[in-house]
């Protein structure tokens, strides 16, 4: 245990977290940052309240390039090695969890055909409230994971995932569909 | 003293400094990357000109590694690794780019063509525990994030290996391989939209 009284050490931890998040445009109450978080780019990064970023195993990368925005809602938890790259916008809803080494990108960076060195257009990417994304999952541009869905580890997604289903595999299939109510 | 009068030159000076920094920093990084590559690839038999390593890498060479000109190894959260076991051969063509976390391992033979692009966390290894078979990747291939190329695979020229796919069979030229196990489809037939 730390020699400091608990409220004081908690305050110090929050201060340290805010120091690590100093490049964000907005940070909510009581952020928790463990380990390393890399915030790159000249775009804007906004964090909600009580965000947990656990970059102890590998750094978390929040890369908002020029004109891009990454918006994390309240109570979002991100594990180490996750990488979010936004050229336009990535929105993560409240209570979402992103697993270790998952990749979320709203631009392919290279077109499939034609000149490989020009950027294709971005497609905004949305992760809604209460979504769980497993480790090493890949969310490609155009993904829209709706409320309460679960993405199994290692899944590759590039389209809309309906609410409250579990998807897995590559290409992604619905593994389980929870009955409403 | 008028604060506005004194503030204006200061901000222009800051802009000048920022511009100078933007002009100098990439060149300094480039020079550092070239020097780092020279040090990292000291055990490699033949290294081309202008090979740059922007981050840490682990290179373990007990066989023969051939690197072409103008290679780029981008640094990031995980170091890339090049492993060449005794008697094996690993060759990389010119103008190929590697993102961070790429792992190349040769037990027999891995050859990569010119102008390829390897995204982060790509794994190319010619032994998977069951068999050892050479891997050939032709020129202009783009291997996207997290793809795994299994032993004995030949990826044809100008093909694209989609993110997260596991390639177990040969990929013909001008095609897109995606899924686990990877299925091939012609790039001509793939829609022009940016999604896969």
């Amino acid at each position: 245990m730390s020699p400091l009284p608990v409220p004081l050490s908690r305050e110090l931890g929050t201060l340290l977290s805010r120091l690590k998040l100093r490049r964000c445009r907005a940070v909510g109450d009581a952020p928790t940052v463990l380990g390393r978080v890399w915030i790159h780019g000249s775009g804007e990064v906004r964090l909600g309240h009580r965000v947990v970023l656990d970059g102890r195993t590998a750094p978390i990368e929040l890369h908002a390039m020029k004109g891009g925005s990454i918006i994390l809602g309240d109570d979002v938890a991100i594990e180490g090695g996750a990488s979010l790259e936004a050229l336009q916008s990535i929105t993560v809803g409240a209570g979402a969890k992103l697993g270790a080494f998952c990749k979320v990108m709203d631009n392919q960076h290279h077109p499939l055909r034609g000149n490989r060195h020009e950027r294709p257009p971005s497609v905004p990417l949305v992760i809604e409230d209460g979504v769980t994304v497993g480790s090493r999952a890949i969310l490609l541009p155009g993904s829209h994971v709706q409320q309460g869905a679960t993405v199994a580890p290692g899944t590759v997604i590039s389209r809309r995932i309906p609410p409250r289903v579990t998807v897995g595999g590559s290409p992604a299939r619905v593994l389980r569909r929870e009955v409403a109510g | 003293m008028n604060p506005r009068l004194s503030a204006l030159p200061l901000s222009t000076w800051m802009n000048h400094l920022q511009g100078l920094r933007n002009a100098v920093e990439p060149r300094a990084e480039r020079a550092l990357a070239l020097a780092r590559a020279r040090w990292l690839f000291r055990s490699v038999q033949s290294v081309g000109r202008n090979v740059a390593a922007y981050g840490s890498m682990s290179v373990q060479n007990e066989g023969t590694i051939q690197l072409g000109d103008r290679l780029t190894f981008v640094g990031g959260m995980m170091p890339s690794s090049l492993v060449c076991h005794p008697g094996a051969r690993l060759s990389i063509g010119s103008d190929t780019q590697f993102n961070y976390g790429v792992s190349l391992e040769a037990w027999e033979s891995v050859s990569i063509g010119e102008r390829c692009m390897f995204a982060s966390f790509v794994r190319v290894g010619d032994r998977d525990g069951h068999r050892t078979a050479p891997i050939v990747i032709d020129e202009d291939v783009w291997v996207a994030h997290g793809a795994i190329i299994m032993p004995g695979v030949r990826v044809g020229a100008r093909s694209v290996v989609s993110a997260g796919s596991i390639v177990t069979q040969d990929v013909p030229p001008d095609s897109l391989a995606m899924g686990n196990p990877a299925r091939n489809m012609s790039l001509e037939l793939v829609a022009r939209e940016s999604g896969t």
Side-chain angles (χ1 to χ4, degrees):
Chain A
M1 283 300 290
S2 68
L4 296 169
V6 171
L8 186 60
S9 75
R10 190 173 291 162
E11 280 302 309
L12 275 178
T14 307
L15 262 178
L16 188 62
S17 302
R18 283 190 189 279
L19 184 71
K20 290 176 183 171
L21 296 172
R22 64 190 178 278
R23 295 201 53 190
C24 297
R25 192 68 55 86
V27 180
D29 297 338
T32 310
V33 177
L34 307 166
R36 290 178 289 169
V37 174
W38 293 350
I39 296 166
H40 296 302
S42 55
E44 64 170 38
V45 179
R46 290 175 183 276
L47 308 185
H49 302 309
R50 300 173 299 279
V51 163
V52 181
L53 304 174
D54 182 356
R56 284 177 295 189
T57 49
I60 293 173
E61 197 177 20
L62 302 175
H63 195 157
M65 288 176 222
K66 191 175 167 135
S69 67
I70 296 178
I71 297 170
L72 306 186
D74 300 345
D75 302 295
V76 167
I78 301 183
E79 284 179 38
S83 159
L84 283 76
E85 287 185 26
L87 268 81
Q88 192 178 354
S89 93
I90 291 177
T91 314
V92 181
K97 290 182 178 62
L98 303 184
F101 293 100
C102 69
K103 182 88 175 175
V104 181
M105 48 209 273
D106 74 342
N107 192 309
Q108 299 262 29
H109 296 283
H110 307 286
L112 277 178
R113 305 152 49 122
N115 179 12
R116 287 263 170 85
H117 297 285
E118 60 190 27
R119 285 268 158 81
S122 301
V123 187
L125 192 147
V126 182
I127 298 175
E128 288 188 359
D129 299 355
V131 169
T132 307
V133 177
S135 56
R136 290 186 184 273
I138 301 170
L139 273 65
L140 292 172
S143 309
H144 182 186
V145 189
Q146 289 188 319
Q147 204 162 13
T150 305
V151 178
T155 310
V156 183
I157 288 177
S158 63
R159 58 189 69 210
R160 185 181 71 86
I161 302 299
R164 290 183 299 281
V165 299
T166 304
V167 289
S170 161
R173 288 184 301 121
V174 174
L175 300 178
R176 189 178 308 141
R177 203 182 288 275
E178 224 154 275
V179 182
Chain B
M1 273 256 298
N2 190 341
R4 185 170 291 179
L5 272 180
S6 63
L8 188 69
L10 185 67
S11 67
T12 50
W13 269 110
M14 291 303 281
N15 281 342
H16 275 294
L17 274 179
Q18 189 67 40
L20 193 68
R21 196 182 153 189
N22 289 346
V24 167
E25 219 172 44
R27 294 179 190 204
E29 276 179 8
R30 175 84 189 160
L32 188 64
L34 291 172
R36 190 189 282 124
R38 187 161 294 183
W39 169 251
L40 284 170
F41 298 131
R42 62 193 182 276
S43 65
V44 171
Q45 283 84 1
S46 85
V47 186
R49 298 162 59 91
N50 286 329
V51 174
Y54 286 88
S56 62
M57 283 183 69
S58 81
V59 178
Q60 187 189 333
N61 184 18
E62 292 163 10
T64 317
I65 298 186
Q66 269 189 326
L67 302 181
D69 300 337
R70 298 176 298 279
L71 300 184
T72 310
F73 294 88
V74 178
M77 60 172 86
M78 297 285 272
S80 294
S81 76
L82 247 67
V83 181
C84 193
H85 290 281
R89 183 173 180 80
L90 175 63
S91 73
I92 300 173
S94 303
D95 296 298
T96 295
Q97 298 178 355
F98 295 87
N99 213 328
Y100 58 82
V102 172
S103 129
L104 304 177
E105 186 170 10
W107 289 84
E108 187 182 327
S109 158
V110 170
S111 82
I112 293 168
E114 299 184 353
R115 298 177 298 280
C116 289
M117 299 188 295
F118 284 78
S120 36
F121 294 111
V122 167
R123 159 86 184 161
V124 178
D126 64 354
R127 175 178 282 186
D128 63 349
H130 299 290
R131 64 194 191 118
T132 309
I135 293 180
V136 180
I137 297 175
D138 287 344
E139 67 267 14
D140 293 300
V141 170
W142 167 26
V143 185
H145 175 93
I148 298 175
I149 299 196
M150 300 291 279
V153 167
R154 181 182 187 105
V155 182
R158 299 172 298 283
S159 288
V160 178
V161 176
S162 158
S165 44
I166 297 177
V167 184
T168 52
Q169 289 183 335
D170 287 7
V171 179
D174 296 293
S175 52
L176 171 76
M178 65 179 280
N180 173 18
R183 267 141 314 165
N184 304 320
M185 47 198 88
S186 167
L187 268 182
E188 296 296 317
L189 298 177
V190 176
R192 283 167 190 269
E193 59 178 305
S194 62
T196 42

